[in-house]
Amino acid sequence: MSRVVVTGRIPETALENLRVKHDVIAWESEGSISREELLRRVAGADAIVSLLTERVDAELLDAAGPQLKVVSNVAVGYDNIDVPACTERGIIATNTPGVLTEATADIAFGLILMATRRLGEGERLIRAGQPWKWGMFFLLGSSLQGKTLGIVGMGGIGIATARRAKAFGMEIVYQSRSEIDPTIAAELGARRVELDELLAISDVISLHCPYGPNTHHLIGAEQLAAMKDTAYLVNTARGPIIDEAALALALRENQIAGAGLDVFEQEPKIHPWLLELENVALVPHLGSATVETRTAMAVLAASNTLAVLGGEQPPTPING
């Protein structure tokens, strides 16, 4: 029986799947596990099921020991995992792509609507008990029909977001490392462009690219200056893709019209200016936050773990 350490609370269904054959040491508390406790718990582990809040680096891998076979991340992004360090030690790293595509695209489009139609402003006004009445120029937003959505990173979530935008009558352009399937491109009427062109012509920009050295601060002061002053920026990918301080300044000076953020550069900390501004919609990393999606993510992570411990190829390896 192998020792499986789970670094945070996950749905019981996934834990039950793991417990059928293995000894599971699960974190049951609401809060995040401390680094000290995590290093202690992983000693002797054959598998680690990790959440994106935990840093899986050389220190943690060495604390686990040479018998560690797999790190299963309960997330599609894996910037919290030192994949080269895993590979160097012969450890398979896995993630959970696919199962959170639709839920994250829902949040992306929800943020587009919140930002362009000023929904957050309207709710805050009512909850604050401020007087208001209908008027021709009261909380005017921006329509989406006939506007251009620029998608940075046209993977599964980017495509799902584009489908929602198409239903709203938007034109689609995208920047990605490669062309998408021609059938999907035709369905969406999507055109591939370079980032500079996307920034210049888009009315809304939605980020869906992976985070890594090549995309750190992909959107900074220079890129924000290249956007239309009527444009909106939405991020449901990873916080450090945007230079948050540069974005806060651009929003404060009305250099762009608004933004919608589900992720933040130093999460859970948020740049204080963003908290003061009305032209940005802020939600606390809810991209995959549905009962169905989080359960599917945990079950897939458990399946990855069970496969590796059983000597089989995991469904969604990163480096295997």
Side-chain angles (χ1 to χ4, degrees):
M1 182 175 284
S2 297
R3 177 183 172 91
V4 179
V5 174
V6 184
T7 71
R9 289 188 67 203
I10 63 173
E12 190 63 30
T13 302
L15 291 175
E16 290 172 358
N17 291 351
L18 291 167
R19 286 175 178 142
V20 171
K21 292 186 177 180
H22 303 292
D23 180 24
V24 178
I25 295 86
W27 180 252
E28 303 290 353
S29 300
E30 287 285 351
S32 296
I33 190 170
S34 70
R35 181 70 175 182
E36 181 182 18
E37 177 66 14
L38 180 58
L39 290 170
R40 186 187 69 78
R41 284 192 174 217
V42 299
D46 299 284
I48 296 173
V49 177
S50 59
L51 304 188
L52 58 83
T53 47
E54 276 67 66
R55 190 174 73 257
V56 181
D57 54 12
E59 180 187 37
L60 187 69
L61 299 174
D62 290 342
Q67 77 296 323
L68 183 64
K69 298 178 180 66
V70 59
V71 173
S72 299
N73 213 36
V74 189
V76 65
Y78 48 86
D79 50 292
N80 60 309
I81 297 179
D82 187 337
V83 177
C86 289
T87 303
E88 181 182 335
R89 292 162 175 75
I91 299 165
I92 295 175
T94 71
N95 65 340
T96 59
V99 294
L100 47 68
T101 296
E102 300 300 332
T104 306
D106 284 346
I107 288 291
F109 212 81
L111 284 169
I112 291 171
L113 289 170
M114 285 183 71
T116 58
R117 296 300 304 273
R118 304 173 68 178
L119 302 183
E121 290 181 66
E123 189 191 30
R124 286 190 293 275
L125 182 147
I126 287 178
R127 287 187 181 277
Q130 296 181 25
W132 65 277
K133 65 178 180 178
W134 187 92
M136 284 291 289
F137 301 98
F138 178 59
L139 282 179
L140 290 182
S142 176
S143 297
L144 295 177
Q145 292 72 29
K147 301 292 178 63
T148 297
L149 173 65
I151 295 180
V152 180
M154 198 65 155
I157 299 172
I159 289 171
T161 303
R163 287 195 170 109
R164 286 156 175 74
K166 187 70 174 177
F168 272 72
M170 299 188 77
E171 302 294 327
I172 312 297
V173 296
Y174 72 95
Q175 184 271 329
S176 197
R177 286 175 293 184
S178 57
E179 297 271 1
I180 61 173
D181 182 282
T183 303
I184 296 174
E187 169 203 337
L188 298 172
R191 180 169 62 92
R192 185 183 178 208
V193 298
E194 295 300 321
L195 181 60
D196 288 349
E197 183 179 353
L198 183 146
L199 293 169
I201 68 174
S202 298
D203 299 294
V204 179
I205 296 171
S206 191
L207 304 180
H208 300 285
C209 52
Y211 175 66
N214 293 335
T215 56
H216 180 77
H217 285 188
L218 180 69
I219 306 297
E222 180 182 348
Q223 290 73 31
L224 291 162
M227 292 172 59
K228 298 178 180 180
D229 60 9
T230 54
Y232 298 82
L233 178 64
V234 168
N235 189 11
T236 55
R238 284 292 185 267
I241 295 171
I242 297 176
D243 181 339
E244 198 165 292
L247 174 62
L249 181 60
L251 290 168
R252 194 178 194 182
E253 297 185 348
N254 296 310
Q255 189 175 345
I256 63 173
L261 305 175
D262 183 44
V263 289
F264 305 91
E265 189 168 357
Q266 297 181 23
E267 197 170 302
K269 295 181 180 178
I270 301 173
H271 193 288
W273 286 1
L274 294 178
L275 299 174
E276 299 169 1
L277 295 168
E278 288 288 358
N279 58 345
V280 57
L282 308 170
V283 294
H285 206 144
L286 300 179
S288 62
T290 70
V291 172
E292 298 84 355
T293 299
R294 291 281 171 84
T295 300
M297 291 167 65
V299 168
L300 178 53
S303 296
N304 281 320
T305 303
L306 292 169
V308 174
L309 294 179
E312 300 174 357
Q313 179 74 359
T316 53
I318 298 168
N319 64 342

